Amino acid sequence: MDLVAVPGEFVAIVGPTGCGKSTILNIVAGLRPPAEGEVRVLGRPLKGLNRHAGYLFQADSLMPWKTALENVALGPILRGMPPREARERARHWLAKVGLRGFEDRYPHQLSGGMKKRVALAQVLILSPRILLMDEPFGALDVQTRQLMENELLRLWQEDRKTVLFVTHDLEEAIALADRVVVFSAGPASRVIGDFKIALPRPRDVAEIRLTEAFLEIHREIWGLLREEVMRAHAG
Amino acid sequence: MRARVRLWQAGLLFLLVAGWEVSVRAGWVDAFFFSKPSDIAARVWEWFSTGEIYGHLWITLWETMLAFLIGTVLGVVLGLWLALVPTASAVLDPLIKAMNSIPRMILAPIFTLWFGLGVASKVALGVTLVFFVAFFNTYQGIKEVNPVVLANARMLGASGRQLLRHVYLPSAASWIFSSLRTSIGFAVIGAVVGEYLGSARGLGYLISQAEGVFDTTGVFAGMVVLAVFVVLLDWVVSRVEARLLVWRPTPGQEGGTL
């Protein structure tokens, strides 16, 4: 397994279930040590947690005992910013993800899409150099999901962080990414395909799916991925 | 719905009390063994109107609060420690289980021997009861922390101490609070049983004195005062709980608004 992301690149990782896509993210995040080999972040070997990375989890990751505002302000406060200033910035970020007026709601009072927006603001407020995303929109319905994908592209466009985006949805991967990396079925999975996505930006994830160029790329990658999916199911 | 439940409750209570009163007055049961509600009410009234009860109530409340506070603090602290340090829990596990298996009432005479007839021996008995409730609930609460929330807090930059404050403690809070309501009951048991077995003041003493002279009215009156006392304490704790755990979804509320 050898994977290099160029700074500012949006890399999507696709593969059949059980191929270790999420494991890769956890290793890059420093949440678990690699079985062998090493992770280099900005040229330096990674020890402990990855301080340059923000992580958007697949499952609900907000603290249910904190309001939306408190959740977003948490990162800066943990890193030593005075609480007043942190809350001010959190207010700004909540507005930025379209949640003005929801500052004092607790997570259980928010819909699935809103929770994802709060989680996104919670991560982005720390302006990480690297953004790790583990099927963040997997649990959302199709409409909300496309909305969130466009939102993500809009925010990413502002400062172009390096993104590792794990998904099992090939269409989502192509619509969002500069590069799609295909993993083979596990165990002992490896990279079996690496595709540049030369679609123009800014993109609209709903519209781009209908273009000829998109379908062309989709056909090409799907040809490769289908076999792996079959193998994952057979095995 | 709520009103109907209240109505049923009131009706049931009335039926019980009236049935009791009538049975005694009709001579079906012996007043010497069972007393009767009107006498009991009169006795309770007498205690409060003469002010005789206040000293006893106060001492029982004081013992209860002390046992509750000391037991809870010890239980929460030890629960946190054992849940967060696996080695400590592995070493101490059999000891704690063994201690918890001792019927606490057996300790009462020993505590009287150690701490005398005063408040301290009752508090000690209450602490041995309260401690384990707080301990096991805190331990469980910490163990049940959502691993994704924990990983998220770590990625956001939380240090060990910050994890404790922002994740472990709030997460365990609902467990700890549900234990508090049980604990209050146990603290009262510790205080009253301690008084019952040897003291000069308190509700337990009052009941034991009445029993000593076959005064069943006094025994029942003591029980009534005790029951109301515990219900009031439980109400206070549940109000505090509701205030501190506003973030918790009430059943059916999950999923939220759009």
Side-chain angles (χ1 to χ4, degrees), chain B residues 36-69:
Chain B
K36 64 176 184 291
S38 54
D39 287 350
I40 296 166
R43 180 67 63 88
V44 171
W45 173 251
E46 184 195 322
W47 280 347
F48 279 95
S49 59
T50 60
E52 183 190 346
I53 190 87
Y54 291 115
H56 297 294
L57 256 182
W58 168 245
I59 207 79
T60 302
L61 180 66
W62 177 235
E63 288 161 357
T64 300
M65 292 326 279
L66 279 180
F68 176 70
L69 284 177

Side-chain angles (χ1 to χ4, degrees), chain B residues 66-144:
Chain B
L66 279 180
F68 176 70
L69 284 177
I70 296 171
T72 300
V73 169
L74 287 179
V76 169
V77 169
L78 208 73
L80 278 175
W81 184 48
L82 290 207
L84 295 174
V85 184
T87 330
S89 85
V91 171
L92 293 178
D93 180 63
L95 184 68
I96 286 172
K97 289 212 174 105
M99 300 245 279
N100 190 35
S101 68
I102 301 169
R104 251 42 64 81
M105 298 312 132
I106 290 172
L107 295 175
I110 295 189
F111 284 154
T112 310
L113 208 62
W114 290 351
F115 303 114
L117 283 169
V119 169
S121 59
K122 283 78 190 171
V123 172
L125 188 61
V127 166
T128 62
L129 289 162
V130 170
F131 167 80
F132 287 98
V133 181
F135 169 78
F136 285 119
N137 277 285
T138 306
Y139 185 84
Q140 197 61 29
I142 298 290
K143 287 286 171 195
E144 306 251 313

Side-chain angles (χ1 to χ4, degrees), chain A residues 29 49-51 53 55 57 60-66 74-75 78-79 105-106 108-111 122 126, chain B residues 146 148-149 151-158 162 166-167 170-171 246-249 253-258:
Chain A
L49 285 181
N50 189 341
R51 284 283 168 219
Y55 200 141
F57 294 84
D60 276 346
S61 60
L62 298 175
M63 331 272 134
W65 45 84
K66 290 182 186 291
L74 181 61
L78 292 176
R79 292 174 188 216
R105 299 282 190 99
Y106 286 97
H108 77 89
Q109 297 168 318
L110 299 171
S111 68
Q122 189 181 46
L126 294 169
Chain B
N146 180 342
V148 178
V149 172
N152 188 26
R154 289 181 60 204
M155 287 307 294
L156 292 174
Q162 288 171 327
H166 292 281
V167 181
S171 172
V246 279
W247 54 266
R248 216 168 32 173
Q253 200 186 345
E254 191 67 59
T257 48
L258 270 167

Side-chain angles (χ1 to χ4, degrees), chain A residues 149-167:
Chain A
E149 288 165 0
N150 276 333
E151 196 91 339
L152 173 65
L153 283 185
R154 181 175 65 77
L155 291 166
W156 176 74
Q157 215 92 29
E158 286 180 8
D159 57 358
R160 300 242 171 176
K161 303 173 191 313
T162 310
V163 178
L164 282 184
F165 189 102
V166 161
T167 177

Side-chain angles (χ1 to χ4, degrees), chain B residues 1-10 235 239:
Chain B
M1 179 64 200
R2 235 184 118 87
R4 261 187 43 204
V5 169
R6 287 273 177 270
L7 204 69
W8 275 103
Q9 286 170 336
W235 180 77
R239 289 310 296 264

